[in-house]
Amino acid sequence: KAGVTQTPRYLIKTRGQQVTLSCSPISGHRSVSWYQQTPGQGLQFLFEYFSETQRNKGNFPGRFSGRQFSNSRSEMNVSTLELGDSALYLCASSPASQMNTEAFFGQGTRLTVV
Amino acid sequence: AQKVTQAQTEISVVEKEDVTLDCVYETRDTTYYLFWYKQPPSGELVFLIRRNSFDEQNEISGRYSWNFQKSTSSFNFTITASQVVDSAVYFCALNILTGGGNKLTFGTGTQLKVEL
Protein backbone atom coordinates (compact mmCIF):
# COMPACT_ATOMS: atom_id res chain seq x y z
CA LYS A 1 0.00 0.00 0.00
CA ALA A 2 1.50 3.33 -1.01
CA GLY A 3 2.11 5.84 1.75
CA VAL A 4 1.33 9.54 1.87
CA THR A 5 2.95 11.39 -1.00
CA GLN A 6 3.81 15.05 -0.82
CA THR A 7 5.05 17.08 -3.75
CA PRO A 8 7.30 18.81 -4.27
CA ARG A 9 9.83 17.74 -1.63
CA TYR A 10 11.77 21.00 -1.78
CA LEU A 11 10.77 24.46 -2.88
CA ILE A 12 12.45 27.86 -2.92
CA LYS A 13 10.24 30.91 -3.35
CA THR A 14 10.69 34.65 -3.15
CA ARG A 15 8.96 36.81 -0.59
CA GLY A 16 5.61 38.01 -1.91
CA GLN A 17 5.03 35.02 -4.18
CA GLN A 18 2.43 32.36 -3.66
CA VAL A 19 2.92 28.61 -3.45
CA THR A 20 0.81 25.46 -3.74
CA LEU A 21 1.74 22.21 -2.04
CA SER A 22 0.17 18.87 -2.84
CA CYS A 23 -0.66 15.82 -0.76
CA SER A 24 -1.93 12.44 -1.93
CA PRO A 25 -3.26 10.42 1.00
CA ILE A 26 -3.22 6.67 1.45
CA SER A 27 -5.82 5.02 -0.74
CA GLY A 28 -9.15 4.89 1.06
CA HIS A 29 -8.28 7.59 3.58
CA ARG A 30 -10.70 10.51 3.58
CA SER A 31 -9.11 12.83 6.13
CA VAL A 32 -6.10 14.98 5.32
CA SER A 33 -4.48 17.30 7.86
CA TRP A 34 -1.68 19.79 7.36
CA TYR A 35 0.99 20.84 9.86
CA GLN A 36 3.75 23.42 9.80
CA GLN A 37 7.04 22.53 11.48
CA THR A 38 9.59 25.22 12.33
CA PRO A 39 12.52 25.24 14.79
CA GLY A 40 10.95 28.11 16.72
CA GLN A 41 7.27 27.12 16.89
CA GLY A 42 7.53 23.35 16.51
CA LEU A 43 4.68 21.40 14.95
CA GLN A 44 1.53 23.45 14.51
CA PHE A 45 -1.81 22.35 13.10
CA LEU A 46 -2.94 24.24 10.02
CA PHE A 47 -6.21 22.60 8.97
CA GLU A 48 -8.00 19.33 8.36
CA TYR A 49 -10.16 18.32 5.42
CA PHE A 50 -12.61 15.46 5.41
CA SER A 51 -14.77 14.53 2.44
CA GLU A 52 -13.89 17.84 0.70
CA THR A 53 -14.95 19.95 3.70
CA GLN A 54 -12.71 21.81 6.10
CA ARG A 55 -13.26 20.14 9.45
CA ASN A 56 -10.83 22.06 11.66
CA LYS A 57 -8.63 25.11 11.35
CA GLY A 58 -5.61 26.20 13.34
CA ASN A 59 -4.51 29.72 14.24
CA PHE A 60 -2.92 30.81 11.00
CA PRO A 61 -3.62 33.93 8.94
CA GLY A 62 -5.94 33.83 5.96
CA ARG A 63 -2.92 33.67 3.62
CA PHE A 64 -2.93 29.95 4.38
CA SER A 65 -5.70 28.06 2.66
CA GLY A 66 -6.43 24.58 1.48
CA ARG A 67 -8.83 22.37 -0.33
CA GLN A 68 -9.59 18.72 -0.88
CA PHE A 69 -10.71 17.06 -4.06
CA SER A 70 -13.20 14.26 -4.56
CA ASN A 71 -10.35 11.71 -4.72
CA SER A 72 -9.20 12.93 -1.26
CA ARG A 73 -6.05 14.55 -2.62
CA SER A 74 -5.41 17.86 -0.94
CA GLU A 75 -3.60 21.06 -1.72
CA MET A 76 -2.57 23.90 0.51
CA ASN A 77 -1.81 27.37 -0.72
CA VAL A 78 0.15 30.16 0.87
CA SER A 79 -0.21 33.58 -0.68
CA THR A 80 2.04 36.62 -0.24
CA LEU A 81 4.88 34.57 1.20
CA GLU A 82 6.84 35.92 4.14
CA LEU A 83 10.29 34.88 5.34
CA GLY A 84 8.66 33.35 8.41
CA ASP A 85 6.73 30.90 6.24
CA SER A 86 9.95 28.96 5.68
CA ALA A 87 9.19 25.58 7.20
CA LEU A 88 8.64 21.89 6.70
CA TYR A 89 4.99 21.36 5.76
CA LEU A 90 3.70 17.94 6.71
CA CYS A 91 0.57 16.29 5.47
CA ALA A 92 -1.16 13.53 7.45
CA SER A 93 -3.73 11.09 6.16
CA SER A 94 -6.29 9.19 8.24
CA PRO A 95 -9.14 6.86 7.42
CA ALA A 96 -11.59 8.89 9.51
CA SER A 97 -11.96 12.26 11.16
CA GLN A 98 -11.98 11.21 14.81
CA MET A 99 -9.84 12.11 17.79
CA ASN A 100 -8.56 8.56 18.23
CA THR A 101 -7.47 8.06 14.66
CA GLU A 102 -3.87 7.23 13.88
CA ALA A 103 -2.35 9.68 11.42
CA PHE A 104 0.05 8.63 8.68
CA PHE A 105 2.47 11.36 7.70
CA GLY A 106 4.25 12.15 4.47
CA GLN A 107 7.89 13.17 4.30
CA GLY A 108 6.93 16.79 3.95
CA THR A 109 7.65 19.70 1.66
CA ARG A 110 10.57 21.86 2.72
CA LEU A 111 9.69 25.45 1.76
CA THR A 112 12.36 28.13 1.83
CA VAL A 113 11.31 31.74 1.35
CA VAL A 114 14.12 34.12 0.34
CA ALA B 1 -6.45 25.59 25.42
CA GLN B 2 -4.47 22.40 25.18
CA LYS B 3 -0.78 22.16 25.85
CA VAL B 4 1.86 19.42 25.71
CA THR B 5 5.21 19.88 27.39
CA GLN B 6 8.31 17.85 26.68
CA ALA B 7 10.89 19.39 28.96
CA GLN B 8 13.78 17.31 27.66
CA THR B 9 15.12 18.96 24.51
CA GLU B 10 17.90 16.48 23.87
CA ILE B 11 19.00 13.22 25.47
CA SER B 12 22.19 11.32 24.68
CA VAL B 13 22.69 7.73 25.80
CA VAL B 14 25.03 4.89 25.06
CA GLU B 15 23.61 1.89 23.29
CA LYS B 16 21.87 -0.63 25.56
CA GLU B 17 21.02 1.98 28.17
CA ASP B 18 17.37 2.48 29.12
CA VAL B 19 15.94 5.93 28.47
CA THR B 20 12.67 7.60 29.48
CA LEU B 21 11.13 10.48 27.55
CA ASP B 22 8.81 12.67 29.59
CA CYS B 23 5.51 14.16 28.47
CA VAL B 24 3.14 16.35 30.49
CA TYR B 25 -0.15 17.55 29.05
CA GLU B 26 -2.85 20.09 29.92
CA THR B 27 -6.48 20.01 28.88
CA ARG B 28 -9.85 20.76 30.39
CA ASP B 29 -11.49 18.04 28.32
CA THR B 30 -12.16 14.79 30.13
CA THR B 31 -12.17 12.81 26.91
CA TYR B 32 -8.96 12.86 24.93
CA TYR B 33 -6.29 10.76 23.30
CA LEU B 34 -2.54 10.87 23.77
CA PHE B 35 -0.06 9.81 21.12
CA TRP B 36 3.64 9.28 20.65
CA TYR B 37 5.25 9.78 17.23
CA LYS B 38 8.84 9.29 16.09
CA GLN B 39 10.46 11.53 13.48
CA PRO B 40 13.59 10.05 11.88
CA PRO B 41 15.91 12.25 9.76
CA SER B 42 13.82 11.47 6.66
CA GLY B 43 11.12 13.76 8.05
CA GLU B 44 7.89 11.79 8.24
CA LEU B 45 6.32 11.22 11.62
CA VAL B 46 5.78 7.57 12.49
CA PHE B 47 2.96 6.60 14.84
CA LEU B 48 4.05 4.60 17.90
CA ILE B 49 1.11 4.43 20.30
CA ARG B 50 -2.18 6.01 21.34
CA ARG B 51 -3.93 5.92 24.70
CA ASN B 52 -7.37 7.26 25.63
CA SER B 53 -8.08 9.23 28.76
CA PHE B 54 -10.06 6.40 30.35
CA ASP B 55 -7.39 3.75 30.00
CA GLU B 56 -4.53 4.12 32.44
CA GLN B 57 -3.11 0.69 31.83
CA ASN B 58 0.56 0.76 31.05
CA GLU B 59 1.60 -0.84 27.81
CA ILE B 60 4.66 -2.71 26.67
CA SER B 61 5.53 -3.43 23.07
CA GLY B 62 8.89 -5.07 22.64
CA ARG B 63 11.54 -2.64 23.89
CA TYR B 64 8.99 0.17 24.18
CA SER B 65 6.77 0.85 27.17
CA TRP B 66 4.43 3.66 28.12
CA ASN B 67 3.32 4.91 31.52
CA PHE B 68 0.11 6.97 31.59
CA GLN B 69 -0.76 8.67 34.88
CA LYS B 70 -3.82 10.91 34.88
CA SER B 71 -3.07 12.11 38.44
CA THR B 72 0.09 13.82 37.21
CA SER B 73 -1.11 14.42 33.60
CA SER B 74 1.87 12.52 32.31
CA PHE B 75 2.38 10.03 29.50
CA ASN B 76 6.00 8.92 29.60
CA PHE B 77 7.76 6.69 27.11
CA THR B 78 10.60 4.31 27.96
CA ILE B 79 12.94 2.57 25.55
CA THR B 80 14.70 -0.41 27.08
CA ALA B 81 18.13 -1.42 25.82
CA SER B 82 18.33 1.46 23.37
CA GLN B 83 19.80 0.97 19.92
CA VAL B 84 21.41 3.35 17.44
CA VAL B 85 18.32 2.99 15.21
CA ASP B 86 16.25 4.58 17.98
CA SER B 87 17.99 7.89 17.31
CA ALA B 88 15.26 10.31 16.24
CA VAL B 89 13.05 13.11 17.51
CA TYR B 90 10.12 11.86 19.57
CA PHE B 91 6.90 13.82 19.86
CA CYS B 92 4.08 13.48 22.33
CA ALA B 93 0.70 14.73 21.10
CA LEU B 94 -2.83 15.30 22.36
CA ASN B 95 -6.21 15.24 20.61
CA ILE B 96 -9.42 16.17 22.39
CA LEU B 97 -13.07 15.33 21.82
CA THR B 98 -14.27 18.94 21.71
CA GLY B 99 -14.33 20.13 18.11
CA GLY B 100 -13.82 16.62 16.85
CA GLY B 101 -11.59 15.45 14.07
CA ASN B 102 -7.87 15.09 13.70
CA LYS B 103 -6.29 18.11 15.33
CA LEU B 104 -3.14 17.13 17.16
CA THR B 105 -1.43 19.40 19.65
CA PHE B 106 2.23 18.45 19.71
CA GLY B 107 4.95 18.93 22.28
CA THR B 108 8.23 20.46 21.18
CA GLY B 109 9.87 17.07 20.83
CA THR B 110 12.84 15.31 22.41
CA GLN B 111 15.90 14.61 20.28
CA LEU B 112 17.26 11.20 21.28
CA LYS B 113 20.82 10.33 20.30
CA VAL B 114 21.97 6.78 20.89
CA GLU B 115 25.70 6.27 20.47
CA LEU B 116 27.84 3.17 20.29
Side-chain angles (χ1 to χ4, degrees), chain A residues 99-100, chain B residues 31-35 50-53 93-96:
Chain A
M99 69 163 179
N100 65 335
Chain B
T31 304
Y32 52 87
Y33 267 78
L34 294 161
F35 300 79
R50 80 185 130 223
R51 174 68 73 232
N52 76 55
S53 51
L94 167 70
N95 199 1
I96 63 172

Side-chain angles (χ1 to χ4, degrees), chain B residues 53-112:
Chain B
S53 51
F54 301 107
D55 181 4
E56 287 193 70
Q57 257 192 329
N58 292 331
E59 181 162 339
I60 299 175
S61 176
R63 297 185 296 107
Y64 297 168
S65 62
W66 290 270
N67 183 304
F68 175 34
Q69 292 195 333
K70 254 174 119 168
S71 59
T72 55
S73 297
S74 65
F75 185 42
N76 296 337
F77 172 32
T78 297
I79 301 174
T80 303
S82 60
Q83 300 176 0
V84 172
V85 293
D86 295 327
S87 297
V89 182
Y90 290 85
F91 290 93
C92 180
L94 167 70
N95 199 1
I96 63 172
L97 177 62
T98 303
N102 293 312
K103 183 179 177 180
L104 293 166
T105 298
F106 283 92
T108 49
T110 297
Q111 169 88 58
L112 174 64

Side-chain angles (χ1 to χ4, degrees), chain A residues 4 6 23 25 31-35 90-94 103-106, chain B residues 104:
Chain A
V4 178
Q6 291 189 246
C23 173
S31 167
V32 174
S33 301
W34 289 88
Y35 292 84
L90 291 163
C91 164
S93 137
S94 300
F104 296 81
F105 285 80
Chain B
L104 293 166

